[in-house]
Amino acid sequence: MQRDLLGLRQLEAKDMELILDTAEACKQLFNRPVRKVPTLRGKVVVNLFYEPSTRTRTSFEMAGKWLSADVVNITVAASSVVKGESLKDTARTVQALGADMVVIRHQASGVPHLLARTVDAAIINAGDGTNEHPTQGLLDIFTIRQHLGQVAGKRVLIVGDILHSRVARSNIWGLTKLGAAVMVCGPPTLIPVGLEKLGVTVVENLDEVLPLADVVNVLRIQLERQKAGMFPTLREYTRRWGITGERLALMRPDALLMHPGPANLGVEISEEATLDRRSVIREQVTNGVAVRMAVLYLLSGGERHELAD
Ligand code: ASP
């Protein structure tokens, strides 16, 4: 296992499988009357968030606490300019806090990688700009594996703002390494040029591919990362790429419907769709805690069989 979790691009398939297997063991703990285990007693986990987060930050916090680590939350006001000096300050702060692991989210791609070169603690990327969100990718894959048995050979359709989505990128790296067939669909202006090189199929007509997909993963439109005019209007977006009641009818009865949250309800996905019986959106959130427990545990040097002791 590597020292840091910077992205699924860097992670070998066998390490991904190890995290997923360990997350299964972690999920078993959820059924116990007392969820807490002493595994990370004495370890310090620092949550360092430069961008807003609800699910990721709280689930890392819960994951750390259930493993008995000391969890420190630092929320930093977002700054539009990343200066070398501010990152050095940050590095000094986390060193001084004696952090064993740092969970970092930052609006600029590559910041976790820089931090990993500067501090002794293990670095976990909780989302860097438009680059990667590896624990989201892993929890999505975990959720698919739990429902469909395996990822290899499954057809996963990712819909929406691929260009600005770190969730899309982590899913693409992870899913293709594990043998899934990944298709992407969205406004042509929001599909990065040359994406096919990552081994995915770009499809134009959503309605034609929806009946083929085993999994439909819907992305949030990242309005905060868009300059202007990436698509005509929100209403037009919904008409062409929104998962509406009508589109639900096109999906396979046994397909999974996913969304990383937070959702723009009524834009990329309707509320009705989020409540459909094929929706596993709530489960994704629960699985996020199990996957993050597994990551904290493994990066602290643990082996799987020790976990429940
Ligand atoms: N929560 C995810 C992220 O931080 C997805 C999103 O915000 O759209 O990337």
Side-chain angles (χ1 to χ4, degrees), residues 2-304:
Q2 300 172 357
R3 197 182 79 109
D4 308 295
L5 178 61
L6 300 176
L8 298 193
R9 179 184 191 159
Q10 295 87 345
L11 205 63
E12 287 179 36
K14 71 169 177 28
D15 286 339
M16 255 186 281
E17 306 270 13
L18 176 64
I19 297 172
L20 298 168
D21 292 346
T22 308
E24 259 165 47
C26 292
K27 205 173 169 186
Q28 305 279 318
L29 298 175
F30 294 7
N31 303 324
R32 290 192 183 174
V34 178
R35 291 171 174 188
K36 227 174 161 104
V37 289
T39 320
L40 294 190
R41 196 185 281 154
K43 301 271 183 199
V44 177
V45 177
V46 174
N47 270 336
L48 186 60
F49 278 68
Y50 288 83
E51 262 196 348
S53 168
T54 311
R55 294 160 197 76
T56 306
R57 198 192 56 73
T58 48
S59 60
F60 265 114
E61 187 173 349
M62 283 166 79
K65 286 182 169 164
W66 287 353
L67 291 169
S68 301
D70 294 316
V71 183
V72 181
N73 289 312
I74 307 179
T75 309
V76 195
S79 110
S80 56
V81 190
V82 189
K83 300 226 169 91
E85 208 42 51
S86 66
L87 199 66
K88 271 194 211 149
D89 268 353
T90 306
R92 277 196 281 266
T93 308
V94 295
Q95 288 281 32
L97 288 169
D100 295 289
M101 284 174 275
V102 178
V103 179
I104 179 163
R105 167 169 292 189
H106 201 284
Q107 62 273 23
S109 302
V111 165
H113 310 65
L114 277 175
L115 201 61
R117 279 185 242 132
T118 332
V119 300
D120 299 330
I123 304 297
I124 301 167
N125 181 359
D128 64 324
T130 58
N131 180 39
E132 280 223 43
H133 191 352
T135 55
Q136 179 73 46
L138 287 166
L139 80 87
D140 290 344
I141 293 170
F142 181 82
T143 307
I144 296 172
R145 219 175 74 149
Q146 287 231 308
H147 279 269
L148 307 182
Q150 59 173 35
V151 170
K154 301 296 176 209
R155 278 173 295 202
V156 181
L157 172 63
I158 306 177
V159 186
D161 181 356
I162 315 287
L163 183 66
H164 301 102
S165 175
R166 52 200 181 199
V167 175
R169 250 167 289 277
S170 286
N171 265 274
I172 290 172
W173 287 117
L175 287 166
T176 51
K177 278 186 201 176
L178 295 179
V182 181
M183 303 177 280
V184 300
C185 184
T189 47
L190 295 177
I191 306 280
V193 179
L195 193 68
E196 292 90 346
K197 289 198 199 105
L198 301 187
V200 306
T201 311
V202 178
V203 289
E204 272 176 29
N205 188 324
L206 180 58
D207 295 347
E208 275 173 19
V209 287
L210 272 177
L212 305 176
D214 297 300
V215 178
V216 179
N217 197 349
V218 187
L219 302 173
R220 181 173 69 87
I221 309 177
Q222 309 267 309
L223 289 170
E224 77 277 25
R225 298 188 213 282
Q226 296 183 13
K227 306 269 169 341
M230 305 296 273
F231 50 86
T233 59
L234 288 179
R235 189 194 272 184
E236 174 67 6
Y237 184 95
T238 308
R239 197 180 66 75
R240 295 196 52 190
W241 296 284
I243 301 299
T244 56
E246 280 156 31
R247 293 215 162 93
L248 279 179
L250 296 176
M251 281 174 52
R252 292 167 52 132
D254 56 352
L256 300 181
L257 179 61
M258 309 177 80
H259 191 300
N264 297 301
L265 289 181
V267 183
E268 74 260 0
I269 192 164
S270 68
E271 188 170 12
E272 176 193 358
T274 64
L275 301 172
D276 189 80
R277 56 170 188 80
R278 287 162 291 185
S279 162
V280 290
I281 297 172
R282 290 211 188 120
E283 228 178 294
Q284 285 174 267
V285 179
T286 315
N287 289 341
V289 181
V291 164
R292 288 169 180 130
M293 283 173 85
V295 167
L296 291 175
Y297 172 67
L298 290 167
L299 291 190
S300 74
E303 295 294 332
R304 184 154 81 101

